[in-house]
Amino acid sequence: MSEMKKVAVLGAGITGITTAAKLIEQGFEVTVFDRQRYAAMETSFANGGQLSASNAEVWNTWATVLKGVKWMLQADAPLLVNPKPSWHKLSWMLEFMRHIPDYQRNTIETTRLAIEARQHLTALGQKWGVGFDHSDCGIMHFYSNQKDFKHACEVTKLLKQGGLERQALTAGDIKLKEPRLKGDFVGGFWTPSDSTGDIHNFTFGLAEAIRKAGVTFCMETELTDVSIEGKGVRVTDDKGNSNHFDAVVVCAGVGSRALAKKLGDRVNIYPVKGYSITVNLRDQLSQDSAPLISLLDDETKIVTSRLGVDRFRIAGTAEFNGNNRDIRHDRIEPLVKWCNRHFPDVSTESAVAWAGLRPMMPNMMPKVGRGRHPQVFYNTGHGHLGWTLSAATAEMVAGVMAGVRDESTNSSYSTVVTS
């Protein structure tokens, strides 16, 4: 492995492209594979837009389990579980519950990682000249009942242990912070260090920049096989091409589970569908009435981001329904109604719907680092924080691989967050 030079990156979403960028910075020869024509056309296309350390709380609690059962037959519920059984879903949920005791530790670690990621994302954008409607606008969480606000106070203590400071807000403070927001609230939290940006523009722009710098892209390419071959990995695609690489990094989102199995690893990612609408602010009143800061409504689990002058992103919900990318009207409608209720002067006449599959590990932590075989690496399974964490985990895996290549046994990245 000391001669490791040629690397295949499987996946051209946010984790794949940031990984490819970090690898080329380390001097590797990189080839990126993806089934889409362009980078960032699936889960990295139209998410909520938040770069949010303040949303680092993992979901592994009994309260989440009880809500999932309660909402199972409610079509517009924030968390919806299809009751149709499957072994994959069952095994994932059992593991999810086994990690409930790790809730505090994993929330703290995710916070730390999210804060670290900020500097790496900024550095990537500046180095490669990528524009993505980035805004240091801060994120405000708001709460409609005392029970949820009290829980948020406890979460704030964990976030602080991870290095994040955020400010408690009264109902009056919320109105002052965002006077456009309509509704009755009991309190909130303000995180000025969080920000927002367009994940698709960033990923696509970074992909084009590293392409010009020498990264090879094999797009519109379905992989038919990935296998260990000697001290390397063979990648075979549907076009009849079969290429040997010194190492491979799996960054394939919800497709990572199947690829990992071929490479001798178990990576129990489950696809959790999320929805968004992009409201096109076509008139002056809508532009003036949409919020400039980013929001998270805890009751409905809806987040918002202002992407430039004329776009307002509203996203939310979690749906356990297998590998299903259908855009359901009954899941989109709550997002539109939420906008109409809280921002009545924003016209939703032009609202573009989208759905994507979040790749979630049972413990809500990304799978980062080495696989069973020394030539296999992972950077996947980031769940609802892929945009937030990607630059840090890309830095980690590239550092590990450079350490292996250089036969460094004392790499600063020898301890990697991993599922």
Side-chain angles (χ1 to χ4, degrees):
M1 292 298 293
S2 61
E3 298 180 356
M4 182 170 63
K5 186 175 182 181
K6 293 175 60 180
V7 178
V9 174
L10 310 185
I14 183 64
T15 57
I17 297 303
T18 52
T19 298
K22 290 295 185 178
L23 287 172
I24 193 174
E25 290 176 4
Q26 291 279 8
F28 289 94
E29 294 179 13
V30 182
T31 301
V32 177
F33 291 86
D34 197 275
R35 65 181 182 179
Q36 299 293 342
R37 185 176 182 181
Y38 307 107
M41 293 304 292
E42 293 193 17
T43 305
S44 300
F45 186 75
N47 73 348
Q50 292 186 332
L51 293 157
S52 53
S54 60
N55 200 22
E57 181 190 13
V58 298
W59 298 3
N60 304 80
T61 66
W62 286 114
T64 301
V65 175
L66 294 174
K67 286 177 181 178
V69 174
K70 174 184 174 182
W71 289 333
M72 193 169 290
L73 300 179
Q74 184 180 328
D76 61 350
L79 172 62
L80 184 64
V81 180
N82 186 333
K84 184 177 180 180
S86 75
W87 172 245
H88 183 198
K89 186 193 301 180
L90 180 61
S91 69
W92 190 94
M93 290 183 173
L94 288 173
E95 285 189 51
F96 176 91
M97 288 185 284
R98 283 204 296 271
H99 284 289
I100 289 176
D102 303 325
Y103 161 79
Q104 292 190 358
R105 184 183 66 219
N106 287 347
T107 294
I108 294 168
E109 179 59 26
T110 303
T111 307
R112 184 201 64 76
L113 193 59
I115 293 171
E116 180 186 339
R118 293 168 176 167
Q119 61 179 312
H120 297 301
L121 185 76
T122 300
L124 279 171
Q126 291 176 346
K127 177 180 177 63
W128 296 100
V130 179
F132 56 106
D133 286 321
H134 186 229
S135 174
D136 292 314
C137 58
I139 294 178
M140 181 171 72
H141 290 58
F142 60 87
Y143 302 86
S144 301
N145 63 75
Q146 286 292 346
K147 181 181 178 181
D148 289 340
F149 182 64
K150 183 178 180 180
H151 174 74
C153 292
E154 296 303 312
V155 173
T156 298
K157 296 176 183 178
L158 298 179
L159 300 180
K160 187 173 183 178
Q161 290 184 56
L164 183 72
E165 296 288 342
R166 64 177 187 172
Q167 306 162 15
L169 303 175
T170 66
D173 293 333
I174 290 173
K175 295 295 185 182
L176 290 173
K177 187 69 68 176
E178 183 46 79
R180 304 169 186 83
L181 176 64
K182 309 299 181 184
D184 296 319
F185 314 109
V186 300
F189 282 94
W190 169 243
T191 312
S193 58
D194 277 345
S195 61
T196 61
D198 189 318
I199 185 174
H200 175 76
N201 286 354
F202 180 90
T203 310
F204 181 84
L206 183 58
E208 292 305 299
I210 63 175
R211 184 197 302 271
K212 294 175 183 177
V215 172
T216 300
F217 280 81
C218 297
M219 306 301 287
E220 297 183 279
T221 301
E222 290 276 2
L223 300 182
T224 57
D225 194 29
V226 183
S227 58
I228 303 297
E229 185 177 276
K231 294 183 178 181
V233 178
R234 182 160 295 279
V235 178
T236 306
D237 63 43
D238 60 346
K239 299 174 182 177
N241 301 312
S242 183
N243 296 286
H244 188 270
F245 296 90
D246 300 320
V248 64
V249 191
V250 179
C251 307
V254 297
S256 299
R257 177 172 175 260
L259 293 170
K261 186 176 181 180
K262 291 177 180 292
L263 294 167
D265 293 306
R266 182 177 182 271
V267 180
N268 194 17
I269 285 173
Y270 191 86
V272 180
K273 191 193 297 186
Y275 292 85
S276 78
I277 57 173
T278 303
V279 181
N280 294 309
L281 307 173
R282 293 178 169 179
D283 58 83
Q284 193 63 49
L285 179 60
S286 293
Q287 292 177 12
D288 293 341
S289 302
L292 296 177
I293 66 172
S294 184
L295 303 171
L296 190 151
D297 180 352
D298 187 78
E299 183 176 16
T300 60
K301 309 303 181 187
I302 286 176
V303 305
T304 76
S305 296
R306 183 72 177 267
L307 301 177
V309 175
D310 57 0
R311 290 185 301 152
F312 181 34
R313 180 71 50 75
I314 303 171
T317 77
E319 183 178 315
F320 287 76
N321 195 22
N323 196 32
N324 182 305
R325 291 178 170 82
D326 294 344
I327 299 177
R328 293 172 45 177
H329 175 73
D330 58 354
R331 304 295 282 163
I332 291 295
E333 188 177 23
L335 302 178
V336 177
K337 287 183 176 179
W338 185 93
C339 184
N340 294 338
R341 180 170 67 256
H342 291 295
F343 298 96
D345 290 331
V346 172
S347 171
T348 52
E349 180 258 336
S350 176
V352 181
W354 172 85
L357 301 179
R358 307 180 186 102
M360 287 197 172
M361 295 290 292
N363 64 352
M364 306 297 292
M365 302 293 286
K367 172 70 175 178
V368 184
R370 306 187 69 163
R372 177 182 175 186
H373 295 278
Q375 58 269 55
V376 177
F377 300 83
Y378 293 91
N379 186 17
T380 188
H382 293 64
H384 70 301
L385 287 180
W387 180 212
T388 298
L389 302 179
S390 58
T393 58
E395 176 79 9
M396 285 180 170
V397 76
V400 170
M401 295 177 72
V404 172
R405 178 196 59 194
D406 301 336
E407 298 182 323
S408 172
T409 58
N410 298 312
S411 170
S412 60
Y413 296 98
S414 59
T415 55
V416 176
V417 178
T418 182
S419 293

